[in-house]
Amino acid sequence: MREVRWAGPRAFLVECGSLSEVVALHARLRAEPLPGQVEAVAAAATLALSFTHRSAAVAAAGAVRTLAPVAGEAAEARTVEIDVVYDGEDLAEVGELTGLGADGVVRVHAGTEWTGAFGGFAPGFTYLVAEGDPLSVPRRATPRTAVPAGSVAVAGTFSAVYPRSSPGGWQLLGHTDARLWDLDRPEPALVRPGDRVRYRPVRALATLTDARPGGAPTPAAGATAHPALEVVSAGLQSLVQDLGRPGLGDLGVPAAGAADPSSARQANRLVGNGPDAAVVEALLGGLAVRARGTLVLALAGAEVPAVITAAPGRPVGDALRSGGAAADAPGPGRPAAGPGRSVDRLAHRPATRPAPLRAPFALLDGETLELGEPVAGLRAYLAVRGGIDVPAVLGSRSTDTLSGIGPEPLAPGAVLPVGTPASLAAVGLPEPAPAALPRAGRTTVLRVLPGPRADWFGPAGLEVLTGQDWAVGSQSSRVGVRLEAPAGGAPLARRREGELASEAAVAGALQVPPSGLPVLFLADHPVTGGYPVIGVVVPEDLPLAAQLPPGAAVRFALADPDAPVAADAPTDQHASRED
């Protein structure tokens, strides 16, 4: 019977007896997903499964322990040939490590039929295995900061090709011009799990350019007859986000999406959009956008001061008079005209006015909305009625900062087209602010569940994790929140030595590198990782985690995975508090 290791309330790792069992079980669950299954990500010794809700995960955990790995006939595998120039920097060293010499390594590597086992490191990066493990070499003692795109490499008993330039510690045997990941193909990944791969030695190749894999450039500046938002200033980082692209982890594609999905949903709800409409996620304010056409917007997330400025040389009253019925209609910040309060009287308002938070408001043609620095929280979400209508990549308009998939980060001059609003979709009423947002100098309590590798740290490790306030580091990002031990505190200490085989991780995972300082994974986290995960923050608390600013503190509290929680709403159990 297989062992199950929980990774939060809705996901778990299945430990298998061999890589071949992992591959076979993964193939079955891809062909016949369990009820509620979202992801199935294979790794060297485990298969990670995640589900839409807790009850589906519990039922699946019981079923998968004895599930037969093969049901019916597997889909026919493809054979992929990859031309390789064997001129890698580590070829001679691998020859010495194996005793084969450089020529012998080439002969064995090219003469072996390899099989795609699993992905996960990056989009298009597929771990290849071969019967009998013909090449077995350690990773480099010091990883390279940048491995060129197209590098053909080996590590452990695996072979692979780097689809794009990235850090890496594998031994380089040569290079290829094959495109391992190309969004212009019906199947973007050249090699998928189950495919057979043969390397073919050649003398020379065409030049390989390290093209960005996203397939969706920043919308270009220029005139447009359709409603749009023009970016005047992008601030520190402003990105297009929706609810992400879950379900592609086995190809190495992170789910991405809004770091604080609760706030993205709220902003969309206020303007009458569906929950998955694309919004703008702005980090630490600084975003400024100008309306092309009269638009309905809403802000949610971080507590940001926001101001609307009239178009240059055009008083606010002129814009109101030319805005038609929408401009005259009552709404948040726009009282109805009546006795003693006519549209002409409104013409004498100042050229700037504040924009409300968590309430819909109009941004008239030519007006500019500018966000200031948050007083609480970190990320603000700007929704526009109709949604940001940039091209979708792999079913999502989200920017993935780790893999580069999706639209480029916003820049001044970019024009964001606005989609057509759904018919009869009502604009929402103002909504209250969350109970508390994280602030610098305050402690936010996040609920956490042990595992899946809590045994690497033991009870003492969990006591350290939950017994002190961790500081939010300045190097945090959408990939994860980097935590630092407080003055007089202690990092996490392992009680097990050795190296953990790479395995899948989920959003909310607390991965612990050798420093003992945990990293709390957010939306753009890598699909797999090689450091043990001591615990996982419950999904309902991840919106708060995404709003942690540098200088804030975090305390972790052990949770009950079956305790009822209020989705998308902070509770008294995880509010911020003053120190």
Side-chain angles (χ1 to χ4, degrees):
M1 183 177 291
R2 303 182 186 96
E3 182 177 354
V4 167
R5 291 178 175 266
W6 284 95
R10 307 174 195 167
F12 54 81
L13 300 179
V14 183
E15 293 198 320
C16 298
S18 65
L19 176 59
S20 60
E21 183 182 356
V22 172
V23 172
L25 186 60
H26 179 244
R28 164 145 192 193
L29 291 175
R30 275 178 51 85
E32 302 175 20
L34 295 170
Q37 180 179 312
V38 176
E39 292 272 16
V41 181
T46 59
L47 177 65
L49 300 174
S50 62
F51 296 84
T52 54
H53 52 286
R54 171 70 176 170
S55 59
V58 171
V64 79
R65 295 176 190 270
T66 56
L67 188 68
V70 176
E73 295 185 3
E76 183 179 353
R78 303 175 303 169
T79 296
V80 179
E81 291 191 343
I82 298 177
D83 292 344
V84 181
V85 175
Y86 283 95
D87 59 354
E89 296 180 35
D90 303 318
L91 181 59
E93 183 176 351
V94 172
E96 294 179 4
L97 289 170
T98 59
L100 297 171
D103 291 342
V105 170
V106 173
R107 184 173 61 254
V108 170
H109 189 257
T112 297
E113 182 175 84
W114 298 85
T115 301
F118 57 91
F121 172 71
F125 189 104
T126 301
Y127 291 77
L128 306 178
V129 296
E131 186 175 353
D133 298 334
L135 292 174
S136 181
V137 294
R139 288 177 169 84
R140 289 173 52 87
T142 303
R144 292 180 171 89
T145 57
V147 176
S151 294
V152 177
V154 291
T157 59
F158 300 108
S159 178
V161 181
Y162 281 78
R164 63 183 302 211
S165 178
S166 62
W170 288 39
Q171 308 277 5
L172 305 186
L173 302 185
H175 72 278
T176 180
D177 63 355
R179 290 205 173 277
L180 274 293
W181 182 258
D182 186 349
L183 287 166
D184 291 332
R185 293 193 296 245
E187 292 283 350
L190 179 64
V191 180
R192 296 190 60 139
D195 288 345
R196 294 184 291 266
V197 175
R198 284 195 171 277
Y199 295 108
R200 185 168 56 191
V202 296
R203 293 180 179 274
L205 296 165
T207 302
L208 176 67
T209 59
D210 185 18
R212 185 177 182 274
T218 300
T224 176
H226 301 288
L229 283 172
E230 178 186 352
V231 178
V232 178
S233 171
L236 185 62
Q237 182 188 68
S238 294
L239 308 169
V240 175
Q241 296 292 344
D242 55 19
L243 297 184
R245 47 183 70 86
L248 300 174
D250 61 331
L251 298 180
V253 178
D260 176 357
S262 294
S263 292
R265 287 189 181 97
Q266 183 182 51
N268 273 323
R269 185 167 60 245
L270 289 167
V271 297
N273 290 340
D276 59 347
V279 299
V280 177
E281 178 184 275
L283 179 71
L284 286 173
L287 173 69
V289 293
R290 181 177 297 120
R292 294 190 178 185
T294 296
L295 306 172
V296 177
L297 309 181
L299 285 164
E303 297 280 349
V304 290
V307 64
I308 297 170
T309 305
R314 187 181 189 190
V316 172
D318 288 347
L320 283 169
R321 281 192 291 271
S322 65
D328 294 335
R334 298 196 313 279
R341 190 169 182 83
S342 65
V343 172
D344 287 337
R345 289 279 306 274
L346 292 175
H348 296 92
R349 291 184 305 172
T352 62
R353 65 186 189 277
L357 296 178
R358 290 173 288 278
F361 61 92
L363 190 68
L364 306 179
D365 185 31
E367 289 186 332
T368 299
L369 171 70
E370 185 173 0
L371 309 188
E373 184 176 350
V375 297
L378 184 67
R379 294 177 170 92
Y381 291 85
L382 175 66
V384 56
R385 184 171 173 82
I388 303 297
D389 194 19
V390 296
V393 179
L394 296 178
S396 170
R397 294 178 170 87
S398 285
T399 298
D400 176 2
T401 60
L402 182 68
S403 67
I405 293 174
E408 293 273 8
L410 299 186
V415 176
L416 302 174
V418 174
T420 302
S423 61
L424 303 179
V427 173
L429 296 173
E431 298 185 8
L437 279 172
R439 296 172 182 253
R442 293 189 183 181
T443 298
T444 296
V445 180
L446 301 178
R447 293 166 293 179
V448 65
L449 298 171
R453 299 297 175 185
D455 56 325
W456 281 56
F457 304 90
L462 286 175
E463 288 181 9
V464 173
L465 178 69
T466 59
Q468 61 187 5
D469 289 356
W470 298 86
V472 176
S474 60
Q475 298 302 308
S476 300
S477 67
R478 281 179 48 88
V479 173
V481 179
R482 295 185 176 273
L483 301 174
E484 302 170 356
L492 295 167
R494 296 183 187 181
R495 70 176 188 177
R496 284 187 57 176
E497 298 296 331
E499 187 174 322
L500 177 70
S502 291
E503 57 191 20
V506 298
L510 287 163
Q511 192 182 70
V512 185
S515 66
L517 302 177
V519 179
L520 197 174
F521 278 170
L522 296 180
D524 289 355
H525 70 87
V527 175
T528 60
Y531 297 133
V533 172
I534 188 174
V536 179
V537 173
V538 300
E540 292 77 14
D541 287 5
L542 286 180
L544 278 180
Q547 294 291 357
L548 289 165
V554 179
R555 180 172 285 264
F556 296 105
L558 290 178
D560 177 356
D562 295 309
V565 292
D568 294 348
T571 70
D572 291 340
Q573 288 180 302
H574 57 286
S576 297
R577 60 178 172 82
E578 293 275 8
D579 283 341

Short mmCIF file of all heavy atoms in Angstrom, two decimals, residues 306-353:
data_model
loop_
_atom_site.label_atom_id
_atom_site.label_comp_id
_atom_site.label_asym_id
_atom_site.label_seq_id
_atom_site.Cartn_x
_atom_site.Cartn_y
_atom_site.Cartn_z
N ALA A 306 -5.70 56.80 -3.83
CA ALA A 306 -5.84 56.87 -5.29
C ALA A 306 -6.51 58.18 -5.66
O ALA A 306 -7.45 58.62 -5.01
CB ALA A 306 -6.65 55.70 -5.80
N VAL A 307 -6.01 58.83 -6.72
CA VAL A 307 -6.54 60.12 -7.13
C VAL A 307 -6.80 60.10 -8.63
O VAL A 307 -6.06 59.47 -9.40
CB VAL A 307 -5.56 61.25 -6.76
CG1 VAL A 307 -4.25 61.12 -7.52
CG2 VAL A 307 -6.18 62.62 -7.00
N ILE A 308 -7.86 60.77 -9.03
CA ILE A 308 -8.22 60.92 -10.44
C ILE A 308 -7.96 62.35 -10.87
O ILE A 308 -8.37 63.29 -10.18
CB ILE A 308 -9.71 60.57 -10.67
CG1 ILE A 308 -9.97 59.10 -10.32
CG2 ILE A 308 -10.12 60.86 -12.11
CD1 ILE A 308 -11.43 58.73 -10.30
N THR A 309 -7.27 62.51 -11.98
CA THR A 309 -6.93 63.83 -12.52
C THR A 309 -7.59 64.00 -13.88
O THR A 309 -7.54 63.08 -14.71
CB THR A 309 -5.40 63.99 -12.64
OG1 THR A 309 -4.81 63.74 -11.37
CG2 THR A 309 -5.05 65.39 -13.12
N ALA A 310 -8.19 65.18 -14.11
CA ALA A 310 -8.85 65.45 -15.39
C ALA A 310 -7.83 65.52 -16.51
O ALA A 310 -6.62 65.73 -16.28
CB ALA A 310 -9.64 66.76 -15.31
N ALA A 311 -8.31 65.34 -17.72
CA ALA A 311 -7.43 65.46 -18.88
C ALA A 311 -6.86 66.86 -18.95
O ALA A 311 -7.53 67.84 -18.61
CB ALA A 311 -8.21 65.15 -20.15
N PRO A 312 -5.60 67.02 -19.37
CA PRO A 312 -4.99 68.35 -19.46
C PRO A 312 -5.84 69.29 -20.30
O PRO A 312 -6.27 68.96 -21.40
CB PRO A 312 -3.63 68.07 -20.13
CG PRO A 312 -3.34 66.63 -19.82
CD PRO A 312 -4.67 65.96 -19.78
N GLY A 313 -6.11 70.47 -19.76
CA GLY A 313 -6.87 71.48 -20.47
C GLY A 313 -8.35 71.20 -20.57
O GLY A 313 -9.07 71.87 -21.29
N ARG A 314 -8.80 70.20 -19.79
CA ARG A 314 -10.22 69.85 -19.85
C ARG A 314 -10.75 69.75 -18.43
O ARG A 314 -10.45 68.78 -17.73
CB ARG A 314 -10.39 68.52 -20.57
CG ARG A 314 -11.86 68.17 -20.84
CD ARG A 314 -11.94 66.82 -21.53
NE ARG A 314 -13.28 66.52 -21.99
CZ ARG A 314 -13.66 65.33 -22.45
NH1 ARG A 314 -12.78 64.36 -22.51
NH2 ARG A 314 -14.89 65.13 -22.84
N PRO A 315 -11.52 70.71 -17.96
CA PRO A 315 -12.05 70.63 -16.61
C PRO A 315 -12.91 69.39 -16.42
O PRO A 315 -13.48 68.86 -17.37
CB PRO A 315 -12.89 71.91 -16.47
CG PRO A 315 -12.40 72.81 -17.55
CD PRO A 315 -11.93 71.92 -18.66
N VAL A 316 -13.00 68.95 -15.19
CA VAL A 316 -13.79 67.77 -14.88
C VAL A 316 -15.22 67.93 -15.35
O VAL A 316 -15.86 67.02 -15.88
CB VAL A 316 -13.74 67.46 -13.37
CG1 VAL A 316 -14.71 66.35 -13.02
CG2 VAL A 316 -12.33 67.08 -12.96
N GLY A 317 -15.80 69.12 -15.21
CA GLY A 317 -17.18 69.34 -15.62
C GLY A 317 -17.39 69.11 -17.09
O GLY A 317 -18.41 68.55 -17.51
N ASP A 318 -16.42 69.50 -17.96
CA ASP A 318 -16.55 69.26 -19.38
C ASP A 318 -16.61 67.77 -19.67
O ASP A 318 -17.39 67.31 -20.51
CB ASP A 318 -15.37 69.88 -20.14
CG ASP A 318 -15.45 71.39 -20.17
OD1 ASP A 318 -16.52 71.92 -19.81
OD2 ASP A 318 -14.44 72.03 -20.52
N ALA A 319 -15.77 67.01 -18.96
CA ALA A 319 -15.77 65.57 -19.17
C ALA A 319 -17.10 64.98 -18.76
O ALA A 319 -17.65 64.09 -19.41
CB ALA A 319 -14.63 64.92 -18.38
N LEU A 320 -17.65 65.48 -17.66
CA LEU A 320 -18.95 64.97 -17.20
C LEU A 320 -20.04 65.27 -18.22
O LEU A 320 -20.87 64.43 -18.53
CB LEU A 320 -19.31 65.59 -15.85
CG LEU A 320 -18.58 65.00 -14.63
CD1 LEU A 320 -18.84 65.87 -13.42
CD2 LEU A 320 -19.05 63.58 -14.37
N ARG A 321 -20.03 66.49 -18.78
CA ARG A 321 -21.09 66.85 -19.72
C ARG A 321 -21.00 66.04 -21.00
O ARG A 321 -22.00 65.76 -21.65
CB ARG A 321 -21.02 68.35 -20.03
CG ARG A 321 -21.63 69.21 -18.91
CD ARG A 321 -21.79 70.63 -19.39
NE ARG A 321 -20.51 71.30 -19.58
CZ ARG A 321 -19.89 71.97 -18.61
NH1 ARG A 321 -20.39 72.04 -17.41
NH2 ARG A 321 -18.74 72.56 -18.85
N SER A 322 -19.74 65.63 -21.38
CA SER A 322 -19.59 64.87 -22.63
C SER A 322 -19.69 63.38 -22.41
O SER A 322 -19.62 62.61 -23.35
CB SER A 322 -18.23 65.19 -23.28
OG SER A 322 -17.19 64.73 -22.44
N GLY A 323 -19.87 62.97 -21.15
CA GLY A 323 -19.87 61.54 -20.86
C GLY A 323 -21.19 60.86 -21.08
O GLY A 323 -21.31 59.66 -20.93
N GLY A 324 -22.22 61.62 -21.43
CA GLY A 324 -23.51 61.00 -21.72
C GLY A 324 -24.21 60.55 -20.45
O GLY A 324 -23.94 61.00 -19.36
N ALA A 325 -25.13 59.61 -20.63
CA ALA A 325 -25.95 59.15 -19.51
C ALA A 325 -25.11 58.53 -18.42
O ALA A 325 -25.40 58.67 -17.24
CB ALA A 325 -26.99 58.14 -20.02
N ALA A 326 -24.04 57.83 -18.80
CA ALA A 326 -23.22 57.20 -17.78
C ALA A 326 -22.60 58.22 -16.87
O ALA A 326 -22.43 58.01 -15.67
CB ALA A 326 -22.12 56.36 -18.45
N ALA A 327 -22.23 59.40 -17.42
CA ALA A 327 -21.61 60.42 -16.59
C ALA A 327 -22.63 61.05 -15.66
O ALA A 327 -22.29 61.47 -14.55
CB ALA A 327 -20.99 61.48 -17.48
N ASP A 328 -23.92 61.16 -16.09
CA ASP A 328 -24.93 61.80 -15.26
C ASP A 328 -25.53 60.85 -14.24
O ASP A 328 -26.20 61.28 -13.30
CB ASP A 328 -26.07 62.33 -16.16
CG ASP A 328 -25.58 63.46 -17.06
OD1 ASP A 328 -24.60 64.10 -16.67
OD2 ASP A 328 -26.19 63.67 -18.12
N ALA A 329 -25.32 59.53 -14.43
CA ALA A 329 -25.96 58.57 -13.54
C ALA A 329 -25.36 58.64 -12.16
O ALA A 329 -24.17 58.87 -11.99
CB ALA A 329 -25.80 57.16 -14.11
N PRO A 330 -26.19 58.45 -11.10
CA PRO A 330 -25.64 58.41 -9.75
C PRO A 330 -24.78 57.17 -9.56
O PRO A 330 -24.96 56.17 -10.24
CB PRO A 330 -26.89 58.34 -8.87
CG PRO A 330 -27.94 57.74 -9.74
CD PRO A 330 -27.63 58.24 -11.12
N GLY A 331 -23.87 57.23 -8.66
CA GLY A 331 -22.99 56.11 -8.37
C GLY A 331 -22.03 56.51 -7.29
O GLY A 331 -22.05 57.65 -6.80
N PRO A 332 -21.12 55.60 -6.90
CA PRO A 332 -20.15 55.92 -5.86
C PRO A 332 -19.33 57.14 -6.24
O PRO A 332 -18.71 57.19 -7.30
CB PRO A 332 -19.28 54.66 -5.80
CG PRO A 332 -20.17 53.58 -6.35
CD PRO A 332 -21.02 54.24 -7.39
N GLY A 333 -19.37 58.16 -5.40
CA GLY A 333 -18.62 59.39 -5.67
C GLY A 333 -19.33 60.31 -6.63
O GLY A 333 -18.81 61.36 -6.99
N ARG A 334 -20.55 59.96 -7.14
CA ARG A 334 -21.30 60.79 -8.08
C ARG A 334 -22.73 60.92 -7.58
O ARG A 334 -23.60 60.11 -7.95
CB ARG A 334 -21.29 60.17 -9.48
CG ARG A 334 -19.94 60.02 -10.12
CD ARG A 334 -20.08 59.76 -11.62
NE ARG A 334 -21.07 58.75 -11.94
CZ ARG A 334 -20.84 57.45 -11.88
NH1 ARG A 334 -19.69 57.01 -11.46
NH2 ARG A 334 -21.78 56.59 -12.21
N PRO A 335 -23.06 61.88 -6.71
CA PRO A 335 -24.43 62.03 -6.25
C PRO A 335 -25.34 62.39 -7.41
O PRO A 335 -24.93 62.98 -8.40
CB PRO A 335 -24.34 63.18 -5.24
CG PRO A 335 -22.88 63.34 -4.96
CD PRO A 335 -22.15 62.87 -6.15
N ALA A 336 -26.60 62.01 -7.27
CA ALA A 336 -27.57 62.35 -8.30
C ALA A 336 -27.79 63.85 -8.36
O ALA A 336 -27.79 64.54 -7.35
CB ALA A 336 -28.90 61.64 -8.01
N ALA A 337 -27.96 64.36 -9.59
CA ALA A 337 -28.29 65.77 -9.73
C ALA A 337 -29.67 66.02 -9.15
O ALA A 337 -30.57 65.19 -9.20
CB ALA A 337 -28.27 66.17 -11.21
N GLY A 338 -29.86 67.17 -8.53
CA GLY A 338 -31.13 67.49 -7.91
C GLY A 338 -31.17 68.96 -7.58
O GLY A 338 -30.29 69.74 -7.99
N PRO A 339 -32.18 69.37 -6.80
CA PRO A 339 -32.29 70.79 -6.42
C PRO A 339 -31.00 71.28 -5.77
O PRO A 339 -30.52 70.70 -4.81
CB PRO A 339 -33.46 70.79 -5.44
CG PRO A 339 -34.27 69.57 -5.80
CD PRO A 339 -33.26 68.57 -6.25
N GLY A 340 -30.46 72.31 -6.32
CA GLY A 340 -29.24 72.90 -5.75
C GLY A 340 -27.99 72.13 -6.07
O GLY A 340 -26.92 72.45 -5.59
N ARG A 341 -28.09 71.02 -6.88
CA ARG A 341 -26.88 70.25 -7.18
C ARG A 341 -26.97 69.77 -8.63
O ARG A 341 -27.25 68.61 -8.93
CB ARG A 341 -26.74 69.05 -6.24
CG ARG A 341 -25.37 68.37 -6.37
CD ARG A 341 -25.15 67.37 -5.27
NE ARG A 341 -23.84 66.78 -5.37
CZ ARG A 341 -22.73 67.33 -4.89
NH1 ARG A 341 -22.78 68.46 -4.25
NH2 ARG A 341 -21.57 66.73 -5.03
N SER A 342 -26.75 70.63 -9.57
CA SER A 342 -26.88 70.30 -10.99
C SER A 342 -25.52 69.89 -11.55
O SER A 342 -24.49 70.06 -10.91
CB SER A 342 -27.39 71.53 -11.75
OG SER A 342 -26.43 72.56 -11.69
N VAL A 343 -25.57 69.37 -12.76
CA VAL A 343 -24.31 69.03 -13.43
C VAL A 343 -23.45 70.26 -13.59
O VAL A 343 -22.22 70.22 -13.48
CB VAL A 343 -24.60 68.34 -14.78
CG1 VAL A 343 -23.32 68.16 -15.57
CG2 VAL A 343 -25.28 67.00 -14.55
N ASP A 344 -24.07 71.43 -13.83
CA ASP A 344 -23.29 72.66 -13.96
C ASP A 344 -22.58 72.99 -12.66
O ASP A 344 -21.45 73.49 -12.67
CB ASP A 344 -24.20 73.81 -14.37
CG ASP A 344 -24.65 73.70 -15.82
OD1 ASP A 344 -23.93 73.03 -16.58
OD2 ASP A 344 -25.70 74.28 -16.18
N ARG A 345 -23.25 72.75 -11.52
CA ARG A 345 -22.58 73.00 -10.25
C ARG A 345 -21.35 72.08 -10.11
O ARG A 345 -20.31 72.48 -9.61
CB ARG A 345 -23.55 72.71 -9.08
CG ARG A 345 -24.67 73.74 -8.93
CD ARG A 345 -24.18 74.98 -8.18
NE ARG A 345 -23.57 74.64 -6.92
CZ ARG A 345 -24.24 74.48 -5.78
NH1 ARG A 345 -25.56 74.59 -5.77
NH2 ARG A 345 -23.60 74.22 -4.66
N LEU A 346 -21.47 70.79 -10.59
CA LEU A 346 -20.35 69.85 -10.48
C LEU A 346 -19.17 70.30 -11.33
O LEU A 346 -18.04 69.88 -11.10
CB LEU A 346 -20.79 68.45 -10.94
CG LEU A 346 -21.80 67.74 -10.02
CD1 LEU A 346 -22.23 66.43 -10.65
CD2 LEU A 346 -21.22 67.51 -8.64
N ALA A 347 -19.44 71.16 -12.33
CA ALA A 347 -18.35 71.61 -13.20
C ALA A 347 -17.31 72.41 -12.44
O ALA A 347 -16.20 72.58 -12.92
CB ALA A 347 -18.92 72.47 -14.33
N HIS A 348 -17.66 72.89 -11.26
CA HIS A 348 -16.71 73.71 -10.51
C HIS A 348 -15.92 72.89 -9.50
O HIS A 348 -15.23 73.47 -8.67
CB HIS A 348 -17.47 74.84 -9.80
CG HIS A 348 -18.12 75.79 -10.76
ND1 HIS A 348 -19.41 75.64 -11.20
CD2 HIS A 348 -17.62 76.89 -11.41
CE1 HIS A 348 -19.71 76.62 -12.06
NE2 HIS A 348 -18.63 77.37 -12.21
N ARG A 349 -16.03 71.56 -9.56
CA ARG A 349 -15.20 70.75 -8.67
C ARG A 349 -13.72 70.91 -9.05
O ARG A 349 -13.40 71.24 -10.19
CB ARG A 349 -15.59 69.27 -8.77
CG ARG A 349 -16.96 68.98 -8.20
CD ARG A 349 -17.23 67.49 -8.24
NE ARG A 349 -17.08 66.96 -9.60
CZ ARG A 349 -17.12 65.67 -9.88
NH1 ARG A 349 -17.26 64.80 -8.91
NH2 ARG A 349 -16.99 65.25 -11.12
N PRO A 350 -12.83 70.58 -8.12
CA PRO A 350 -11.40 70.64 -8.45
C PRO A 350 -11.06 69.68 -9.58
O PRO A 350 -11.80 68.73 -9.86
CB PRO A 350 -10.73 70.23 -7.14
CG PRO A 350 -11.75 70.48 -6.08
CD PRO A 350 -13.07 70.26 -6.72
N ALA A 351 -9.91 69.89 -10.22
CA ALA A 351 -9.49 69.06 -11.34
C ALA A 351 -9.04 67.68 -10.88
O ALA A 351 -8.78 66.83 -11.72
CB ALA A 351 -8.37 69.75 -12.10
N THR A 352 -8.90 67.47 -9.59
CA THR A 352 -8.59 66.14 -9.08
C THR A 352 -9.64 65.74 -8.05
O THR A 352 -10.26 66.60 -7.41
CB THR A 352 -7.19 66.09 -8.42
OG1 THR A 352 -7.18 66.98 -7.30
CG2 THR A 352 -6.12 66.49 -9.41
N ARG A 353 -9.83 64.44 -7.90
CA ARG A 353 -10.75 63.93 -6.89
C ARG A 353 -10.25 62.56 -6.45
O ARG A 353 -9.59 61.85 -7.23
CB ARG A 353 -12.17 63.84 -7.43
CG ARG A 353 -12.37 62.83 -8.56
CD ARG A 353 -13.78 62.92 -9.14
NE ARG A 353 -14.09 61.84 -10.08
CZ ARG A 353 -13.76 61.83 -11.35
NH1 ARG A 353 -13.08 62.87 -11.87
NH2 ARG A 353 -14.08 60.81 -12.14
#
